[in-house]
Amino acid sequence: MIVRQAANVLEIMEYFAQAKKPATLAEIADHFGWPRSSTFNLLATLSEKGYLYEPRRRGGYYPTPRWLTLARMVSEVEPLPPWVHALISELSAETGETASIVAPSGVMAVFIDVVESQAPIRYFATIGHRIPIHASASGRALLLQYSKEERDQLYRKIEFRPYGASTPISIEAVEAELRNSIARGYCQSFGDYSRDLAGAAIPLPIGDRRLSVVVAGPEFRIGPKVPDVAALIARTIDRLRPKTAA
Amino acid sequence: MIVRQAANVLEIMEYFAQAKKPATLAEIADHFGWPRSSTFNLLATLSEKGYLYEPRRRGGYYPTPRWLTLARMVSEVEPLPPWVHALISELSAETGETASIVAPSGVMAVFIDVVESQAPIRYFATIGHRIPIHASASGRALLLQYSKEERDQLYRKIEFRPYGASTPISIEAVEAELRNSIARGYCQSFGDYSRDLAGAAIPLPIGDRRLSVVVAGPEFRIGPKVPDVAALIARTIDRLRPKTAA
DNA sequence: GCGAAACGTACATATATGTGAATTTATCTG
DNA sequence: CAGATAAATTCACATATATGTACGTTTCGC
């Protein structure tokens, strides 16, 4: 069950992140199609807790910097090593495509760092974006770091839906693709989940964290280059990853 | 009316900001005394929206860096000029007390930037903290920037409650204190709202924003020094504020 | 300076939602 | 490795909650 008012808090924040200016109760209510009275209650709650304020007289509400302090506090914990962000920056610059770091979250894979392509047609991914772990290059690069037992447990929870023509829709299909990936030396996906999207991914264990790097873009552009891109990812990891620590 | 589940989202974030480590469903449920099932729904909602993930197998939930991207996006808008933070850093260092920037929000005043004192006994303020605009030095420094008409409108919404012995509990009392502040050259408060707390504040208009600076601490320590502190604030503003722009 | 439109606020009520109990799944212990 | 223990899910129902309606307040156009 989805908790509506919890989701609404996030929607409001995303709204402000887009609008980048204060908004009145009426504007917000109209934007979301919420009743004024409900919107009033929500905004009052967020204000009372110190997360929204009214910067100007009758100028509407805007988030306080408290969001930033909170977000900084939680992000200070186990930050990604700087070379990891450098890695995807470089990969994105070299390939012209979107490069990301991905982490597991149950049956999903979550983007935890992203450098977007500058091309007008590009893979539009954001931090927090989620995709099925079994139906994506980056997800399978995570699965490669699981033991067979752990994978079997996961498989039980996965709903195998045919998102696209090449989506693996059975445990065996996924396992077969994992074997192929090992043989090939990298993971790939051609529209497994998102139409017209192709990508190459490589596992990236950091400490006890199981992550992966992925470079993805429109199939027509990146498709033929997937092996080269994969090789580039591997080379770049090799060069940037500190040799000392495990 | 307070929107419970909206508040709960914030509580969860504050919990993670404190704990600084992943937490399982059970831990969170126990911590807040929430039923497991409700906690499950909330965590599922936040996860589905990409704001929580499970970094390790059965290692519990943790916020994704998405909070940080969002918070950065909203905070990019009209950031405080760097000299403003330098101002309160310096004031806090010189006085040994907590120094803050405050903005109006209806009948309340909100802390939008804070540099805390290092003293063991200190004014514990955080960004987002709210105090009544009429019953605080910093709040009255905001009111000084309002026209009489604007103040009168505000007064109608204020509940005049005797928080402490010196709380102004009538419109006339507030107006009198404002006149005193003008004569004195700064605003002060001795336990108007928080017991044992004293402070000095000065208006700080920036562009069309009405802000104020306040230095506050325990009455026994800062009390006798309030005039000196006020003078220091004024001098420091004078020194740091760029002369060019209005 | 007046009237009208827009905005913000309060409250009672029907209903969407949170919850306790039951079930399933995973982990620990001897 | 099995049995016990703890955690994570599911679900039907009572109730806390979102909302329609009405009212007061502020702004804007003329």
Side-chain angles (χ1 to χ4, degrees):
Chain A
M1 173 191 282
I2 207 156
V3 182
R4 182 122 61 93
Q5 292 293 31
N8 288 352
V9 170
L10 306 174
E11 303 256 312
I12 284 197
M13 265 309 278
E14 288 169 15
Y15 171 80
F16 281 118
Q18 273 228 296
K20 294 198 181 245
K21 63 176 180 55
T24 63
L25 189 157
E27 282 175 321
I28 296 174
D30 293 349
H31 175 85
F32 291 108
W34 296 339
R36 296 257 164 112
S37 49
S38 314
T39 309
F40 175 73
N41 290 334
L42 233 193
L43 294 182
T45 302
L46 294 178
S47 298
E48 236 169 79
K49 284 246 152 201
Y51 288 88
L52 241 43
Y53 76 126
E54 299 156 72
R56 283 157 241 271
R57 233 184 85 67
R58 301 201 69 78
Y61 295 84
Y62 200 73
T64 66
R66 182 162 193 180
W67 294 99
L68 193 59
T69 24
L70 267 198
R72 284 215 180 107
M73 286 178 84
V74 304
S75 299
E76 271 167 17
V77 179
E78 306 194 291
L80 286 176
W83 68 265
V84 173
H85 188 79
L87 169 68
I88 54 174
S89 292
E90 198 169 305
L91 287 173
S92 175
E94 289 262 336
T95 60
E97 302 294 351
T98 299
S100 321
I101 303 296
V102 174
S105 184
V107 301
M108 304 297 269
V110 192
F111 287 73
I112 61 167
D113 200 4
V114 174
V115 173
E116 269 199 20
S117 157
Q118 291 306 312
I121 305 283
R122 64 181 188 241
Y123 180 28
F124 183 77
T126 52
I127 292 176
H129 191 94
R130 287 150 46 95
I131 53 182
I133 200 167
H134 68 289
S136 53
S138 50
R140 288 192 292 264
L142 297 173
L143 287 182
L144 283 180
Q145 301 169 66
Y146 285 42
S147 70
K148 181 74 169 73
E149 290 71 39
E150 290 175 315
R151 288 205 301 277
D152 283 336
Q153 270 184 199
L154 252 195
Y155 291 147
R156 260 176 277 153
K157 299 191 181 168
I158 291 178
E159 256 191 291
F160 289 95
R161 296 185 46 200
Y163 303 106
S166 63
T167 312
I169 48 163
S170 72
I171 295 178
E172 191 33 50
V174 176
E175 286 285 315
E177 180 53 29
L178 290 181
R179 284 191 298 272
N180 289 342
S181 302
I182 292 172
R184 187 193 299 131
Y186 60 89
C187 301
Q188 64 181 24
S189 156
F190 291 88
D192 278 17
Y193 177 61
S194 306
R195 199 151 152 37
D196 303 323
L197 179 74
I202 289 189
L204 187 76
I206 296 194
D208 64 347
R209 290 205 279 176
R210 296 152 160 182
L211 307 177
S212 70
V213 205
V214 60
V215 172
E219 197 164 343
F220 71 84
R221 197 166 62 204
I222 203 178
K225 291 192 276 180
V226 158
D228 300 338
V229 167
L232 175 68
I233 299 175
R235 277 204 312 279
T236 315
I237 293 176
D238 250 14
R239 182 155 49 78
L240 295 181
R241 167 167 236 154
K243 305 297 179 221
T244 49
Chain B
M1 175 192 282
I2 206 154
V3 180
R4 182 123 61 94
Q5 294 293 33
N8 288 352
V9 170
L10 306 174
E11 303 257 314
I12 286 200
M13 267 308 278
E14 288 170 15
Y15 171 80
F16 281 118
Q18 272 229 295
K20 295 200 179 243
K21 63 177 181 51
T24 63
L25 189 155
E27 282 175 320
I28 296 174
D30 293 350
H31 176 85
F32 291 107
W34 296 339
R36 295 256 163 115
S37 49
S38 315
T39 309
F40 175 75
N41 290 334
L42 232 194
L43 294 182
T45 302
L46 294 179
S47 299
E48 236 169 81
K49 284 247 153 197
Y51 289 87
L52 240 43
Y53 76 126
E54 299 156 71
R56 285 158 238 271
R57 232 185 85 67
R58 299 203 68 77
Y61 294 84
Y62 200 73
T64 65
R66 181 160 192 183
W67 293 99
L68 192 59
T69 24
L70 268 198
R72 284 216 180 105
M73 287 177 84
V74 304
S75 300
E76 269 168 18
V77 179
E78 304 194 292
L80 287 176
W83 68 267
V84 173
H85 188 78
L87 169 67
I88 54 174
S89 293
E90 197 167 308
L91 288 174
S92 175
E94 290 261 338
T95 60
E97 302 293 352
T98 299
S100 320
I101 303 296
V102 174
S105 184
V107 300
M108 304 297 270
V110 192
F111 287 72
I112 63 167
D113 200 3
V114 175
V115 173
E116 268 199 20
S117 159
Q118 291 306 310
I121 304 285
R122 64 182 188 237
Y123 180 28
F124 183 76
T126 53
I127 292 176
H129 191 93
R130 289 149 44 95
I131 52 184
I133 200 167
H134 68 290
S136 54
S138 50
R140 287 192 292 262
L142 297 173
L143 287 182
L144 282 180
Q145 301 170 64
Y146 285 44
S147 68
K148 182 71 171 76
E149 288 71 40
E150 290 175 314
R151 287 205 303 277
D152 283 337
Q153 270 184 197
L154 253 195
Y155 291 148
R156 259 177 278 154
K157 299 190 180 168
I158 292 179
E159 255 191 290
F160 289 96
R161 295 186 46 202
Y163 303 105
S166 63
T167 312
I169 49 165
S170 72
I171 295 179
E172 190 35 48
V174 176
E175 285 286 313
E177 181 52 31
L178 289 180
R179 284 190 299 272
N180 290 342
S181 302
I182 292 172
R184 188 192 299 129
Y186 60 89
C187 301
Q188 65 181 25
S189 156
F190 292 89
D192 279 17
Y193 177 61
S194 306
R195 200 153 151 34
D196 303 325
L197 179 74
I202 289 189
L204 188 76
I206 296 194
D208 64 347
R209 291 205 280 176
R210 295 152 162 182
L211 307 177
S212 70
V213 206
V214 59
V215 172
E219 199 166 340
F220 71 84
R221 198 165 61 205
I222 203 179
K225 290 192 275 180
V226 157
D228 301 339
V229 168
L232 175 68
I233 299 175
R235 277 203 312 278
T236 315
I237 293 175
D238 249 15
R239 183 154 49 78
L240 294 180
R241 168 166 234 152
K243 307 296 178 218
T244 48

